């Protein structure tokens, strides 16, 4: 099975041009994004091959789809009709809704899907079908995923005579734990970046997070019992402590929900956040960590000595998923690309 690299949302915060170009140079020829601006952005970085928009493009921009040779998902019959009426004759693929109830033709009625697919296969340059799995990361819900895959296969089978080259139904979790004879790609998103679809998942050995997020200690100070730290005075010092400030805050995408809960790694040790995360700074308890000084490196996501903190770990602390953590790292945080060791 081939890979369609999902590089939407700036490659899950990793930087879409750099990621897509690197994957292209390593032989990946199929990419997916969420909108036309993302598609044009990676095309402009020199990415050739297929770029599929998984979401909505305003019909008024259909001309750009053709100009940049971008493939558009058809979200509904109504949308296909509008594109066709506007004179669009570019590449497109029908989305099938096999149970997520987000976009696509309702696959509960395969005969109706077949009719619509055949109609637009004549009017547009239809070259594929796809569906999206909504619980493939959940072992207890395997039956639902198998049902989604079976519906997809049935519809693909009904229109097999059209020889649509691109029928695909796997995301990261689907590609890892499910199988379909029909699916020509796994559309890999989160696992490309070395993260888990769900916190409970175990990834195959050797898959490591691609991203490390580092900051630096800007000041170290002693605080005394009775002092309070940060906005709202939410943390009261109980014993003599050493506190380090780092110039990273929620405007960098380090969630304020991690106030008093998250931690960084300094010199291979955990430094808990004390008080609230500010917009541009936060404070860390380094009392038990020797040798912390202005300029010390603090790892927010990544490894330090024998300690590791992943985006999935942070997400778990404040009740979200690793996807949201990495997508949320804001643009003012520099991305630096290193070659693998
Ligand atoms: C985001 C997305 C993917 C990738 O999902 P991961 O869980 O990150 O692998 C695949 N297909 C569609 C339609 C998506 O929206």
């Amino acid at each position: 099975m081939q890979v369609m690299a999902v590089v939407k949302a700036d490659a899950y915060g990793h930087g879409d041009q750099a990621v897509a170009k690197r994957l292209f140079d390593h032989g990946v020829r199929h990419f997916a994004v969420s909108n036309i601006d993302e598609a044009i952005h990676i095309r402009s970085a020199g990415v050739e091959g297929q770029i599929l928009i998984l979401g909505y493009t305003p019909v008024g921009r259909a001309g750009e789809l053709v100009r940049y040779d971008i493939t558009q998902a058809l979200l509904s019959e109504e949308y296909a009709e509008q594109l066709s009426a506007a004179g669009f004759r570019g590449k497109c693929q029908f989305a099938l809704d096999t149970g997520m109830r987000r976009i696509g033709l309702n696959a509960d009625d395969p005969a109706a899907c077949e009719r619509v697919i055949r109609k637009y296969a004549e009017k547009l340059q239809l070259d594929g079908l796809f569906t999206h799995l909504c619980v493939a990361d959940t072992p207890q819900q395997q039956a639902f995923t198998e049902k989604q895959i079976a519906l997809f296969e049935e519809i693909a089978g009904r229109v097999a005579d059209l020889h649509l080259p691109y029928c695909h139904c796997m995301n990261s979790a689907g590609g890892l734990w499910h199988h379909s004879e029909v699916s020509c790609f796994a559309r890999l998103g989160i696992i490309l970046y070395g993260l888990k679809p769900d916190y409970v998942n175990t990834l195959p050995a050797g898959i490591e997070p691609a991203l490390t997020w580092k900051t630096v200690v800007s000041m170290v100070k002693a605080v005394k019992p009775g002092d309070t730290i940060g906005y709202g005075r939410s943390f009261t010092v109980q014993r003599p402590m050493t506190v380090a400030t780092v110039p990273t805050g929620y405007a960098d995408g380090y969630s304020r929900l991690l106030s008093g809960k998250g931690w960084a790694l300094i010199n291979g040790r955990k430094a808990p956040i004390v008080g609230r995360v500010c917009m541009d700074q936060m404070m860390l308890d380094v009392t038990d960590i020797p040798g912390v000084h202005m300029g010390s490196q603090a790892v927010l996501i990544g490894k330090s000595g024998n300690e590791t903190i992943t985006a999935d770990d942070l997400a778990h602390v404040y009740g979200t998923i690793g996807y949201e953590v990495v997508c949320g790292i804001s643009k003012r945080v520099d991305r630096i690309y290193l070659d693998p060791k």
Side-chain angles (χ1 to χ4, degrees):
M1 191 156 43
Q2 294 195 61
V3 169
M4 172 176 263
V6 181
V7 294
K8 63 193 178 189
D10 203 19
Y12 293 45
H14 293 65
D16 59 4
Q17 289 193 327
V19 169
K21 189 61 176 36
R22 187 67 63 99
L23 290 170
F24 181 77
D25 292 343
H26 281 81
V28 174
R29 291 293 175 268
H30 306 276
F31 296 85
V33 294
S34 66
N35 65 48
I36 189 166
D37 294 315
E38 292 180 348
I40 293 171
H41 197 238
I42 63 166
R43 187 65 93 208
S44 310
V47 169
E48 295 162 28
Q50 181 182 44
I51 303 178
L52 170 65
I53 298 178
L54 298 166
Y56 178 70
T57 299
V59 174
R61 298 188 69 179
E64 292 169 80
L65 294 172
V66 178
R67 184 165 351 127
Y68 291 97
D69 187 25
I70 292 163
T71 306
Q72 174 59 47
L74 300 175
L75 315 186
S76 65
E77 180 173 8
E78 184 187 12
Y79 184 58
E81 184 50 42
Q82 280 197 18
L83 279 174
S84 158
F88 175 70
R89 298 291 177 270
K91 293 177 185 168
C92 51
Q93 300 182 8
F94 253 114
L96 300 177
D97 177 359
T98 54
M100 178 142 174
R101 302 296 177 251
R102 186 168 70 174
I103 56 165
L105 304 175
N106 189 332
D108 289 349
D109 189 345
C113 291
E114 178 182 349
R115 181 184 59 72
V116 175
I117 292 165
R118 287 190 186 284
K119 180 172 166 194
Y120 290 95
E122 286 179 12
K123 296 186 167 204
L124 304 171
Q125 257 189 73
L126 187 73
D127 64 6
L129 305 174
F130 70 97
T131 194
H132 195 44
L133 304 175
C134 54
V135 279
D137 57 0
T138 311
Q140 299 80 6
Q141 301 250 21
Q142 293 241 11
F144 192 88
T145 301
E146 293 302 325
K147 194 187 96 184
Q148 285 191 278
I149 294 171
L151 271 177
F152 182 75
E153 289 178 337
E154 176 179 353
I155 294 166
R158 279 170 172 258
V159 295
D161 59 299
L162 297 177
H163 302 291
L164 301 174
Y166 306 116
C167 293
H168 44 108
C169 62
M170 297 300 183
N171 51 10
S172 295
L176 281 171
W177 299 300
H178 294 273
H179 177 74
S180 169
E181 286 300 328
V182 169
S183 194
C184 66
F185 305 132
R187 296 187 307 272
L188 300 184
I190 199 73
I191 199 171
L192 274 184
Y193 310 101
L195 299 174
K196 303 174 184 183
D198 188 89
Y199 196 70
V200 302
N201 300 149
T202 308
L203 293 182
I207 296 183
E208 300 272 334
L211 171 153
T212 294
W213 186 4
K214 292 175 185 169
T215 185
V216 66
V217 171
S218 57
M219 179 178 177
V220 181
K221 73 186 71 80
V223 295
K224 62 182 187 308
D227 284 353
T228 60
I229 295 181
Y231 285 121
R233 306 183 65 201
S234 64
F235 182 89
T236 303
V237 175
Q238 306 291 345
R239 55 171 181 144
M241 281 172 68
T242 310
V243 169
T245 302
V246 295
T248 298
Y250 60 78
D252 301 288
Y254 195 91
S255 179
R256 189 170 173 277
L257 297 172
L258 289 163
S259 296
K261 294 189 181 145
W263 66 95
L265 303 174
I266 303 179
N267 297 345
R269 308 274 292 274
K270 289 183 178 179
I273 296 172
V274 282
R276 292 189 185 154
V277 175
C278 311
M279 183 184 289
D280 314 298
Q281 309 185 62
M282 61 183 166
M283 285 69 87
L284 305 169
D285 177 2
V286 296
T287 311
D288 301 323
I289 310 179
V292 180
H293 52 82
M294 186 180 88
S296 291
Q297 185 178 83
V299 173
L300 303 175
I301 294 175
K303 283 190 196 341
S304 175
N306 296 323
E307 288 282 350
T308 300
I309 179 164
T310 66
D312 293 321
D313 294 333
L314 276 189
H316 192 60
V317 171
Y318 69 106
T320 186
I321 49 178
Y323 297 72
E324 191 176 2
V325 170
V326 287
C327 285
I329 302 174
S330 70
K331 299 302 166 237
R332 81 175 184 190
V333 180
D334 278 339
R335 271 64 170 175
I336 297 166
Y337 300 93
L338 305 174
D339 283 315
K341 279 176 225 97

